Amino acid sequence: MSDKRPEFSGAKGEDINEPPAKKKRRLDPYRAFVPEEQEFLIAYENMESRIQNALNTTYEKLTNSLSQDNMSDEIKYLRNRLLTLKEKSSLDPIYIGLVGSTGAGKSSLFNAIIEQQFFLPVSGSEACTSCVVQVSSSQSKNYEAKIHLLSLQEWKEEMKNLVELVRKPRAEEEEEEEGEGEDDVGEAVQKLRALYGRHAETRPYEDLLRAKPLVNIPASKCILLKGVQAKELSDKLDPYVRCQSDKDEEEPAQEEEKAKMRLWPLIKYVEVTIPKSDMIPEGVVFMDIPGTGDYNSKRDEMWKESINKCSVIWVISDIERVVGDKVHEVLLTESIKAYQGGMCSDIALVVTKSDKLSLKEYLRERKEKHKPIETKQDAILERNASVKRKKSNSMKTKLKKILPSDSEILNKADLVYTVSAKEYWKENITKEETEIPKLREYVRNIYLKEKKKLLVDYVTKALSIVLLAENFNSTQDMVDHYQQSGLEGFVEDKIKALEKEIEQCFAQLEQPLNEGVKQAKLSHQKAFSQLLTRDTGYRGFHKTLKAVCQKNGVYASRVFARIDLNVTLAQPIYDKINPKFANIFRIQKGTRASLKPCLDMFKDSVQEKIREVGKKSPVTSDHCKLNFFIEETNVIVRTLEREILKKKMAVYESLPLSIQSDLKPYYEEAAKIHGPQSCQRMQNTLKESIEKKAAGGMFETAKEKMKMQLQELKDSIVTKLQTDISTMLKLGLSHWEKLTEKLSDLQDEYQEIEWTHKMLQRM
């Protein structure tokens, strides 16, 4: 291959003679970015365009060279990879989750970020968003929303549990305290009344099955809404996503608007698409994730999945609840778990309503009285800075318990943001002080980082596939040289060595697992009591406890936050394994005790051997085969790393899932308890069963389940490497004279992709 450089126009690939109108159109998709960032994105776009052109040309040359009947399995493999790659965008969605307790101000914050004040429903006094809402921008000119509904079967299952939750046998009525209907049971009552009217909670399940709902339930599982303007879609969307009150649900649904409001118990989640935005980069998906989960199993699944697939999680808490609020702490813990076990690579605490402050109270309680405060705004800024310091230190303390001390997130300049969506809309205000612009910058930086990383992967794959196509033109002497070099045997030995290294890597968890099991057996009754015992007695709590049992130990309570008895019982084990687990699966720089360096060492040793074999090649001018093996090894290992990242959550969650499986029969037994002192009897049933299962090896079983998951992960890594490396060698050592005769030279395509790859590395 020649070292000729493809000509790039302009410093970063742009046409320096481009007319202003054309340049404006090219910049339009990146209107959310500042000029310097736009230059990089245009350069990335040019690079991607060049790569796709090179792939298209390669694909055309291949398909024009051979007929469908004349294609070997190797050529079909090449064609399919080319086809997949040339049609794929280099950027997967970047999910940013906004998680927070009801009324924390998530919707107001999001509205400020996208510069649409009342796009998602907001209220000054109560929670508004009742389900997960995803919002992204696109090339469409319209605003659109897809409202996904529960299936009929899913609703029937939920309705059965709701009826069970609200039933009031006479013997239980005296156990209830006044006002219980305003919390967990109250939500169940609201859902039943929304669809079946007043006193629906008093009707048997079979009766409700036969009853005609007060509103026509759509046959389709998805409702599509459209609007030309933001307000038009917002008005249409509002009745579906706004939390409804008892008053809303008890009024007759005669008007179309009220009928829509009655559908909220059936809504699983909502997808909203807005036209290309000055504020949201295309490819970024914001997820407004309300509360701490949901009573409905499918919605709770959606809540959990939403958190686990987020690249970034913002924990939202208002300034008055950020210190000591239980829900806020639960959500922070869930976010840290997602960082530990899921796709999440960054967490931030966003403190909303930071404009709230009583100046007299603040001045009275302020410790630094020697520093003068001249205005309320000065006091707000000082208070906000103090909150940032305290909460940042608190978050780092939590993170240090589970992460290696040199983890990237622990060295972030900003872990906490204090924002005011309300102040943002006021005139004559310094918008930077509201920190809304700072969050937008945060989003842009995440986008730019991910864009470059994924584009590098895309270009590497393209380089490998073009090298493979060119490789088929190698001489038989070259093929014979590589076949006789011992490369296949060397790689097999290295995979066996890697398997042992992975075993040693995972073996680090053995001791902390054993210590954790020992601690869990000693502390399970205390953990149970702390979670499910109330200092004020059991009155008014037995409905919540029944819901916990109905949901196999996991319940998103509106009063007691998220109750997960299985995770609580597994927590002593997590406390012991967390630091080791984080170090093993870390995706940034690691030590020999981490999985990534093991894979890197395998890759480096294989590539070194390939280079050694290539130097002894009888055709020293032909580096195509050598380069293909090098680049394809990069692709194989990077793909494997992404798959490991996706699979580690199954490993991490195996502990509570195992405990839940062991306790499932006892949860079902406790859920059936009715009559006098039902709350105490449910607690006794659970307490005795946990004691019995703990003595019978429940925690040891959970430990073995995690070890089994690790074993399966190790086996999947080895199997995939064996398969992919074998395929690579088979393809690389193929020689097709017919293709050599007919396939045009791919030198230009290779140079285009290779130079793009070098340019990316320099940026």
Side-chain angles (χ1 to χ4, degrees), residues 60 71 117 150 186-187 207 211 310 350 425 436 467 519 529 534 542 749 756:
E60 288 171 7
M71 284 192 181
Q117 189 169 6
L150 297 172
E187 183 177 16
D207 190 10
C310 286
V350 181
W425 299 108
I436 297 296
L467 283 167
Q519 188 60 39
S529 297
R534 297 180 71 195
H542 73 284
E749 288 75 19
T756 302

Side-chain angles (χ1 to χ4, degrees), residues 8 11-14 36-48 448-449 451-453 455-456 755-763:
F8 277 78
K12 290 194 173 78
E14 71 273 17
E36 184 180 354
E37 295 166 343
Q38 288 177 338
E39 287 185 18
F40 277 103
L41 288 167
I42 289 295
Y44 292 161
E45 184 183 283
N46 288 337
M47 290 176 183
E48 187 172 347
L448 289 164
K449 179 182 175 182
K451 179 72 175 178
K452 181 178 179 181
K453 184 175 72 174
L455 187 57
V456 168
W755 182 245
T756 302
H757 191 271
K758 289 178 180 178
M759 285 281 290
L760 258 179
Q761 300 296 336
R762 294 172 188 168
M763 291 178 71

Side-chain angles (χ1 to χ4, degrees), residues 113 314 388 413-419 424 431-445:
I113 288 174
W314 293 349
K388 281 187 176 184
D414 294 305
L415 269 176
V416 182
Y417 297 81
T418 50
V419 304
Y424 178 80
K431 291 192 182 292
E432 282 68 25
E433 290 182 356
T434 69
E435 297 205 359
I436 297 296
K438 198 172 184 180
L439 284 179
R440 289 178 184 151
E441 182 184 5
Y442 180 143
V443 173
R444 297 199 308 271
N445 288 338

Side-chain angles (χ1 to χ4, degrees), residues 16 129 134 438 454 509 643:
I16 56 176
T129 313
Q134 298 181 189
K438 198 172 184 180
L454 291 169
L509 289 171
E643 291 189 10

Side-chain angles (χ1 to χ4, degrees), residues 213-414:
L214 296 178
V215 61
N216 291 326
I217 297 176
S220 171
K221 289 182 65 177
C222 181
I223 300 172
L224 181 62
L225 305 176
K226 289 187 177 183
V228 177
Q229 300 294 328
K231 187 177 185 309
E232 183 183 355
L233 181 68
S234 180
D235 290 343
K236 291 179 179 179
L237 186 62
D238 189 287
Y240 293 103
V241 300
R242 182 181 290 276
C243 287
Q244 309 301 334
S245 66
D246 286 329
K247 183 178 178 181
D248 293 327
E249 289 155 3
E250 289 178 3
E251 291 180 359
Q254 296 175 353
E255 300 174 19
E256 183 182 353
E257 198 73 3
K258 290 179 180 176
K260 292 174 185 175
M261 293 168 69
R262 290 187 177 277
L263 282 175
W264 71 270
L266 300 176
I267 297 174
K268 190 185 295 186
Y269 68 102
V270 176
E271 289 181 283
V272 178
T273 306
I274 66 175
K276 47 192 173 184
S277 166
D278 291 346
M279 303 301 163
I280 302 184
E282 188 176 345
V284 172
V285 182
F286 281 93
M287 304 184 76
D288 186 344
I289 307 174
T292 55
D294 196 277
Y295 179 78
N296 174 266
S297 299
K298 292 297 177 182
R299 277 194 293 265
D300 196 62
E301 236 173 71
M302 181 73 196
W303 181 86
K304 191 77 174 173
E305 287 174 5
S306 298
I307 288 180
N308 286 340
K309 76 178 180 182
C310 286
S311 305
V312 178
I313 297 177
W314 293 349
V315 181
I316 315 296
S317 181
D318 73 59
I319 194 77
E320 294 178 338
R321 291 190 283 182
V322 73
V323 179
D325 181 63
K326 184 177 180 181
V327 174
H328 153 69
E329 293 298 327
V330 167
L331 290 170
L332 188 56
T333 300
E334 287 291 331
S335 302
I336 291 173
K337 273 198 286 186
Y339 182 88
Q340 175 80 302
M343 303 297 292
C344 179
S345 60
D346 202 6
I347 301 172
L349 172 63
V350 181
V351 183
T352 58
K353 307 177 185 178
S354 65
D355 56 294
K356 281 189 175 182
L357 181 123
S358 169
L359 185 57
K360 288 184 178 179
E361 289 182 12
Y362 180 74
L363 292 176
R364 185 175 66 248
E365 297 173 2
R366 181 171 174 261
K367 294 179 180 179
E368 298 179 348
K369 298 185 184 296
H370 61 284
K371 294 182 180 180
I373 289 288
E374 296 182 2
T375 66
K376 181 179 179 180
Q377 184 63 16
D378 290 340
I380 288 173
L381 293 175
E382 183 183 80
R383 187 273 316 272
N384 291 351
S386 175
V387 168
K388 281 187 176 184
R389 284 194 304 272
K390 290 177 182 177
K391 295 308 296 184
S392 181
N393 291 336
S394 174
M395 284 181 68
K396 286 182 178 180
T397 299
K398 286 178 180 289
L399 289 165
K400 283 177 181 177
K401 290 180 180 178
I402 67 167
L403 300 176
S405 58
D406 60 344
S407 295
E408 189 176 305
I409 193 170
L410 292 173
N411 298 313
K412 276 181 60 179
D414 294 305

Side-chain angles (χ1 to χ4, degrees), residues 636-688:
I636 288 169
V637 172
R638 284 179 183 172
T639 302
L640 186 58
E641 287 173 349
R642 283 195 295 273
E643 291 189 10
I644 291 170
L645 186 63
K646 292 176 182 177
K647 290 179 178 179
K648 72 171 181 173
M649 179 55 81
V651 178
Y652 195 68
E653 290 189 334
S654 60
L655 294 175
L657 288 177
S658 175
I659 291 171
Q660 184 182 55
S661 177
D662 267 353
L663 293 178
K664 192 173 188 297
Y666 303 99
Y667 287 135
E668 292 173 352
E669 179 186 340
K672 295 175 182 176
I673 293 175
H674 301 290
Q677 298 183 327
S678 59
C679 185
Q680 186 66 61
R681 288 159 55 211
M682 281 190 284
Q683 287 209 3
N684 290 340
T685 297
L686 290 177
K687 188 174 182 180
E688 290 166 8

Side-chain angles (χ1 to χ4, degrees), residues 75-185:
I75 303 301
K76 287 179 181 177
Y77 173 88
L78 170 62
R79 181 199 61 187
N80 292 338
R81 269 190 63 173
L82 271 169
L83 189 61
T84 300
L85 198 58
K86 77 187 189 76
E87 293 179 351
K88 175 178 169 56
S89 168
S90 65
L91 185 64
D92 294 324
I94 299 170
Y95 292 96
I96 299 180
L98 281 64
V99 300
S101 60
T102 53
K106 298 183 299 298
S107 298
S108 296
L109 170 64
F110 174 76
N111 290 342
I113 288 174
I114 68 169
E115 202 79 19
Q116 298 282 356
Q117 189 169 6
F118 298 109
F119 186 68
L120 291 181
V122 296
S123 168
S125 58
E126 58 186 19
C128 283
T129 313
S130 61
C131 59
V132 173
V133 180
Q134 298 181 189
V135 186
S136 59
S137 64
S138 73
Q139 295 294 318
S140 171
K141 294 181 179 180
N142 294 325
Y143 292 80
E144 296 183 358
K146 292 180 181 177
I147 299 169
H148 298 268
L149 305 176
L150 297 172
S151 69
L152 182 60
Q153 186 58 39
E154 288 167 351
W155 168 245
K156 286 180 179 179
E157 290 173 8
E158 176 172 12
M159 185 168 64
K160 186 175 183 179
N161 284 329
L162 292 174
V163 170
E164 180 68 18
L165 186 62
V166 301
R167 70 179 282 193
K168 297 181 182 180
R170 187 181 301 277
E172 291 183 11
E173 288 182 356
E174 60 187 37
E175 292 190 35
E176 294 187 13
E177 49 185 27
E178 189 176 346
E180 185 182 357
E182 296 173 5
D183 43 57
D184 296 315
V185 176

